[in-house]
Amino acid sequence: MPTYPRAPVEFVRGEGCRIWDAEGREYLDFFSGLSVHNAGHCHPRIVAAISEQAAAIAGMSNLFYSEPAMRLTELLVSSSLGGRAFLCNSGAEANECAIKLVRKHAHGRGIERPEIISLDFAFHGRTLAALSATPRLAREDLFGPLPQGFVSVPRDDADALRAAIGPNTAAVMIEPIQGEAGVHPIADEVLIAAREACDEAGALLVFDEIQTGMGRTGTLWASEWTPVKPDVMTAAKALGGGLPVGACVISPELGEGLTLGDHGSTFAGGPICARAAIEALEILSDPELLAASRERGEEIRAGLSDHPAVSDIRGRGLMLGIALSDGVDSREVAAAALASGLVVNAPNPETIRLLPPLVVTADEVQTGVATLRDALDGRG
Ligand SMILES: *Cc1c(COP(=O)(O)O)cnc(C)c1O
């Protein structure tokens, strides 16, 4: 079905930050397959782990033990909230799990009709419940009747958020930096208001770190630099090292979370995907790599901020939204960059989103910045 606008290029090979199309032409990748290849394309450790596991066993369902899934869960939990995790196969599934979990938690507090609050312009995924928490795409006219119990509030208004949180609130769901909205960081005061009002109401704070996680913002998780800690965190995208892996992680205070019969998924935690994710987590937890990625982010900012077609640069680490001057169309800029061998993304007509692999070198940053500047020239 024609659900995607596709650029007329087929990529057939990748290595680090470089990819090649079917004609053998080389490109620099500043998109990472939508922040999936944070460790770079075809990282040798990930390739070796996948190959080894594929030749051993590809899985026997969740009705038996599987060491890779257990090891992944342990690594993931100890690197983040410290409680438990449910593994799944995508970001939307991770959020579905979080939604079921916070609703169950609310029912446990005697709330009959729990509400989940999300922010305007949020993106939490395409399945029906995740979509209902995604205000701009939750089209009742096309996909209704949508699941009930979802409300949204203005994105940058701490008071509106505080006022919306009440006795029926199960949870507030937030991306610390909204990615699909064009890289929009949520202000500290909004995060603090969410944390305080959730604590007062007994509600849970969910961080959707599907895009901000896995080193994307310069630390393994964005929650490391925000002023608050969530109760629930969802991860996916780069978690699988290029393969489909998602996870919903909870803090120790939430105990077991979902229990026998509450939830499940046939492929979740399968050993090939889990082995890839273990490698990705270990690679992207390296403090030296994270420090280098922060430096590369600063270099990109420094290299673009004075261009007349650039009005602002938002984001953190290597999750950058280049806001363009009035009248400059990001889709034309992205197409011009692609034609010159640089892959960037246009999440909306006003913004170029840069999500390079974290292993990008200083030389590759210089090349990418020069190519993007050429694509911007004459447009500001
Ligand atoms: C991509 C994304 C999702 C959805 O993940 P899928 O794997 O596409 O289902 C959810 N939330 C955020 C913040 C995302 O960036």
Side-chain angles (χ1 to χ4, degrees):
M1 299 180 200
T3 57
Y4 289 98
R6 293 190 213 271
V9 186
E10 183 196 10
F11 292 111
V12 295
R13 194 163 69 82
E15 191 183 318
C17 296
R18 290 174 305 152
I19 48 178
W20 288 267
D21 70 15
E23 267 89 59
R25 197 166 162 233
E26 184 179 315
Y27 297 75
L28 194 54
D29 180 11
F30 274 23
F31 182 53
S32 304
L34 231 170
S35 199
V36 164
H37 306 291
N38 289 10
H41 290 272
C42 297
H43 192 290
R45 281 179 57 183
I46 297 176
V47 172
I50 292 171
S51 309
E52 189 186 85
Q53 189 62 46
I57 191 166
M60 258 301 288
S61 90
N62 279 304
L63 299 178
F64 301 93
Y65 281 96
S66 176
E67 196 259 357
M70 303 296 155
R71 200 144 50 91
L72 170 59
T73 305
E74 216 166 86
L75 267 178
L76 181 59
V77 161
S78 64
S79 78
S80 56
L81 303 186
R84 287 173 176 267
F86 181 87
L87 299 178
C88 55
N89 315 286
S90 71
E93 279 182 57
N95 284 337
E96 292 285 327
C97 179
I99 289 164
K100 283 177 75 173
L101 179 120
V102 301
R103 282 185 166 188
K104 186 185 176 195
H105 182 265
H107 284 289
R109 296 193 290 125
I111 299 172
E112 274 173 29
R113 299 192 63 77
E115 255 177 23
I116 292 170
I117 299 172
S118 60
L119 303 185
D120 278 352
F121 304 102
F123 182 83
H124 295 300
R126 301 281 190 167
T127 53
L128 278 172
L131 184 68
S132 302
T134 300
R136 274 180 318 152
L137 301 176
R139 295 266 310 261
E140 187 72 33
D141 59 330
L142 296 181
F143 310 119
L146 293 172
Q148 297 300 293
F150 292 87
V151 293
S152 61
V153 297
R155 175 174 66 183
D156 304 310
D157 187 339
D159 293 335
L161 178 58
R162 233 182 259 277
I165 299 171
N168 288 325
T169 305
V172 176
M173 265 180 106
I174 297 179
E175 301 156 79
I177 299 178
Q178 292 185 338
E180 299 311 294
V183 188
H184 187 94
I186 301 304
D188 281 358
E189 58 167 15
V190 173
L191 298 176
I192 292 167
R195 182 68 275 175
E196 288 177 353
C198 280
D199 286 344
E200 279 161 33
L204 300 175
L205 179 60
V206 181
F207 270 9
D208 176 341
E209 290 236 34
I210 290 163
Q211 195 163 144
T212 56
M214 296 300 281
R216 179 48 61 198
T217 68
T219 52
L220 185 62
W221 307 110
S223 61
E224 293 170 41
W225 52 258
T226 64
V228 303
K229 290 280 160 284
D231 307 294
V232 179
M233 175 187 93
T234 54
K237 289 205 162 87
L239 175 59
L243 296 192
V245 181
C248 174
V249 186
I250 58 174
S251 68
E253 289 72 31
L254 293 180
E256 293 191 305
L258 297 173
T259 53
L260 194 61
D262 283 345
H263 203 41
S265 164
T266 301
F267 286 122
I272 299 177
C273 291
R275 288 284 302 271
I278 290 166
E279 298 302 326
L281 250 178
E282 286 182 352
I283 293 163
L284 297 169
S285 299
D286 176 6
E288 278 178 34
L289 176 65
L290 292 168
S293 77
R294 295 192 292 269
E295 282 172 35
R296 301 294 87 79
E298 290 308 316
E299 289 161 9
I300 294 175
R301 284 173 177 275
L304 292 173
S305 58
D306 68 332
H307 196 284
V310 172
S311 67
D312 188 19
I313 301 182
R314 300 182 297 264
R316 206 166 173 117
L318 284 173
M319 181 173 184
L320 296 171
I322 315 298
L324 303 180
S325 310
D326 280 350
V328 184
D329 188 329
S330 65
R331 292 159 300 189
E332 288 172 16
V333 175
L338 183 68
S340 304
L342 175 71
V343 182
V344 300
N345 171 248
N348 61 42
E350 301 86 39
T351 311
I352 289 287
R353 176 170 50 170
L354 303 181
L355 304 162
L358 272 54
V359 296
V360 68
T361 65
D363 280 350
E364 287 166 337
V365 162
Q366 291 319 313
T367 305
V369 163
T371 309
L372 188 52
R373 286 187 74 99
D374 284 347
L376 289 165
D377 279 350
R379 294 177 202 267

